[in-house]
Amino acid sequence: MAQVLEFKLPDLGEGLTEAEIVRWLVEVGDVVVVDQPVVEVETAKAMVEVPCPYGGVVTARFGAEGTELPVGAPLLTVAVGETAADRTGGGTDTAAAADAPRSAEADGRTAAGEGSGNVLVGYGTSEAPARRRRVRRAEPATPSAPAARGVNGTVRESADTPSGAPAAVADGPVPVISPLVRRLARQNGLDLREMTGSGPDGLILRADVEYALRAAATQSRTEAPSGAPRTHTAPAGVPAAAVPDGPGVTRVPLKGIRGAVADKLSRSRTEIPDATCWVDADATELMRTRAAMNAAGGPKISVLALLARICTAALVRFPELNSSVDTAAREIVRHGGVHLGFAAQTDRGLVVPVVRDAHTRDAESLTAEFARLTEAARAGTLTPAELTGGTFTLNNYGVFGVDGSTPIINHPEAAMLGVGRIVPKPWVHEGELAVRQVVQLSFTFDHRVCDGGTAGGFLRYVADCVEQPAVLLRTL
């Protein structure tokens, strides 16, 4: 007799807590083998094909394409150890299983003697997962009004609560995985203990919190006295929810890569006291040096690789800028190696791939790694490890045909160098006016890790190397 095993969305690493189903790769009734990709999901980092650790017949799928699932939610069930006769006569059972979720039998036994060579976090290579009960999805419970928080962080009783009526707040842990959900609720004074989540096992999702905030805003408008002027005040963090949409208005969900970018940039602006300085530099000699390198034969050297090599040399001289701030410990963490991120614009949004140990690479190696990571970014195949762990970012926005910018630091890093387009401009060279190749360099830094003198020294050294690449020979 077949054993039905439930495959849950695994932990995809790097602190990711949820993923969106982009495309199912199998149908109910399909036969799958161990480690066969069964679904393509999009995390906040990249597109990932998820392999199934079991072999057998797919009996149910959980979630339509476009559905966002938390880590640990069921993806599909697989009938393991089913014989050909069972498959022939078991069509009715299979169809029924597609409509009703089936729980997994675990008990620590090996699934039909097969083991997955693809080790997923939360899944071993041979043991089946533990039994899990699915909770039917319900409409999120909405509190009558969000609890108002006092200045000292305490929760005040709502104006709609009858006097003397105790507030019903459940004890025990709140079923929330995502820290973003907790923050959204905290910023708007919403008590999560008063809510019932719509996720698996009552898990509270971001959609539940946003639904509760919209309902509370709507209720506050409808309960206003008919003769009194109405003030449309939306909870902080979701002002658009309180404003009715007019004709032609389109709402685009902030999720996937766009949502991750929004969260990270907002956090950077909130936490980091940044400052920006900039300088124009004559890049004529740098371009001549690159032309001479490429004329000598071998792989072509990119301008970005030369700028990256300059950055790594500058960070050796100014290590304060290759750091991050541990706010909990109130410490500045200086990193031993330079893991260089670079901004790459793709059809799916902005991503920042990371070149590991960039300080150990020459211009030829940097060019090859930039090309590889850029191609993977455009194809959407970057792994979470290739998108995290950066210590400094290089942003070449000159490819968009602009000269300058004030970059937003890639949290939790402490600095970012922005490079504008290199164009012919009038320039005083050796006492005479000449047309030279000029570039604007913008440098944004975290003022907690250093003062303006250090940042200015870094930028000036970078500009000197751009104007006279031979300066780099002192450290090669």
Side-chain angles (χ1 to χ4, degrees):
M1 187 175 199
Q3 180 185 17
V4 179
L5 300 178
E6 187 179 69
F7 175 44
K8 307 181 185 72
L9 178 65
D11 183 348
L12 299 173
E14 299 294 338
L16 301 175
T17 60
E18 54 196 13
E20 178 183 337
I21 297 176
V22 176
R23 181 168 59 99
W24 282 104
L25 305 179
V26 295
E27 301 287 342
V28 173
D30 286 356
V31 177
V32 296
V33 297
V34 173
D35 288 342
Q36 176 180 333
V38 293
V39 65
E40 187 179 59
V41 301
E42 181 181 25
T43 70
K45 305 292 185 182
M47 300 274 280
V48 180
E49 287 188 350
V50 180
C52 180
Y54 314 125
V57 179
V58 177
T59 59
R61 300 185 318 190
F62 304 115
E65 294 179 356
T67 302
E68 192 172 83
L69 297 177
V71 170
L75 275 176
L76 49 78
T77 55
V78 179
V80 177
E82 197 171 26
T83 64
D86 293 333
R87 288 195 296 271
T88 303
T92 304
D93 293 338
T94 301
D99 296 331
R102 301 190 48 190
S103 59
E105 296 292 340
D107 303 333
R109 296 192 299 271
T110 301
E114 292 186 88
S116 169
N118 235 345
V119 180
L120 302 173
V121 179
Y123 288 85
T125 57
S126 61
E127 293 186 358
R131 176 184 293 269
R132 179 188 181 94
R133 296 181 57 195
R134 276 186 57 80
V135 178
R136 186 177 300 276
R137 186 176 181 87
E139 284 295 320
T142 307
S144 58
R149 288 193 177 272
V151 294
N152 59 352
T154 59
V155 180
R156 297 196 303 270
E157 190 177 79
S158 171
D160 295 332
T161 303
S163 59
V169 179
D171 294 329
V174 180
V176 179
I177 293 178
S178 172
L180 299 178
V181 174
R182 292 183 181 274
R183 183 177 64 183
L184 181 61
R186 183 172 62 252
Q187 289 175 343
N188 293 280
L190 187 63
D191 191 346
L192 293 173
R193 296 179 184 275
E194 297 179 354
M195 297 184 61
T196 300
S198 62
D201 294 335
L203 184 70
I204 299 175
L205 307 178
R206 184 188 303 180
D208 299 327
V209 175
E210 293 174 345
Y211 178 88
L213 294 176
R214 286 195 298 270
T218 302
Q219 183 176 3
S220 65
R221 292 197 304 270
T222 57
E223 290 181 354
S226 57
R230 289 188 178 183
T231 57
H232 296 276
T233 57
V238 284
V243 181
D245 293 338
V249 173
T250 302
R251 291 181 178 268
V252 180
L254 271 177
K255 61 181 181 178
I257 288 183
R258 186 74 262 156
V261 170
D263 293 338
K264 195 154 193 176
L265 295 184
S266 298
R267 184 176 183 183
S268 177
R269 280 297 193 209
T270 302
E271 292 187 10
I272 299 178
D274 58 352
T276 302
C277 52
W278 55 90
V279 67
D280 290 339
D282 181 1
T284 305
E285 293 303 321
L286 180 69
M287 301 305 290
R288 288 176 179 171
T289 299
R290 175 176 177 260
M293 287 180 176
N294 292 337
K300 301 297 184 181
I301 304 299
S302 68
V303 175
L304 186 63
L306 294 178
L307 291 170
R309 185 66 189 87
I310 292 172
C311 279
T312 57
L315 289 172
V316 171
R317 296 172 67 94
F318 300 93
E320 301 94 328
L321 297 166
N322 189 46
S323 62
S324 57
V325 176
D326 185 341
T327 54
R330 294 188 61 82
E331 294 175 342
I332 297 175
V333 182
R334 292 187 182 174
H335 306 290
V338 178
H339 303 311
L340 185 67
F342 67 99
Q345 190 69 39
T346 71
D347 293 339
R348 299 172 57 245
L350 177 69
V351 294
V352 184
V354 177
V355 177
R356 301 286 170 185
D357 299 313
H359 61 291
T360 65
R361 298 174 180 265
D362 56 21
E364 188 173 305
S365 173
L366 287 168
T367 298
E369 187 66 357
F370 282 138
R372 183 188 73 82
L373 291 172
T374 300
E375 182 61 30
R378 290 171 179 166
T381 58
L382 288 169
T383 65
E386 292 171 329
L387 285 163
T388 54
T391 62
F392 186 91
T393 296
L394 176 61
N395 187 357
N396 180 21
Y397 45 74
V399 296
F400 301 119
V402 298
D403 295 323
S405 175
T406 54
I408 299 177
I409 296 174
N410 188 22
H411 184 279
E413 298 169 13
M416 176 186 290
L417 178 68
V419 182
R421 59 177 180 164
I422 302 176
V423 292
K425 287 185 178 180
W427 190 266
V428 177
H429 176 65
E430 295 180 349
E432 296 183 357
L433 187 63
V435 176
R436 306 285 286 182
Q437 299 291 321
V438 179
V439 62
Q440 185 179 97
L441 305 172
S442 304
F443 184 62
T444 299
F445 64 99
D446 186 341
H447 229 312
R448 296 173 298 179
V449 304
C450 69
D451 295 324
T454 301
F458 174 92
L459 185 58
R460 187 64 257 171
Y461 178 80
V462 170
D464 290 345
C465 290
V466 168
E467 294 183 341
Q468 302 177 42
V471 172
L472 277 175
L473 295 175
R474 295 178 60 90
T475 58
L476 292 180

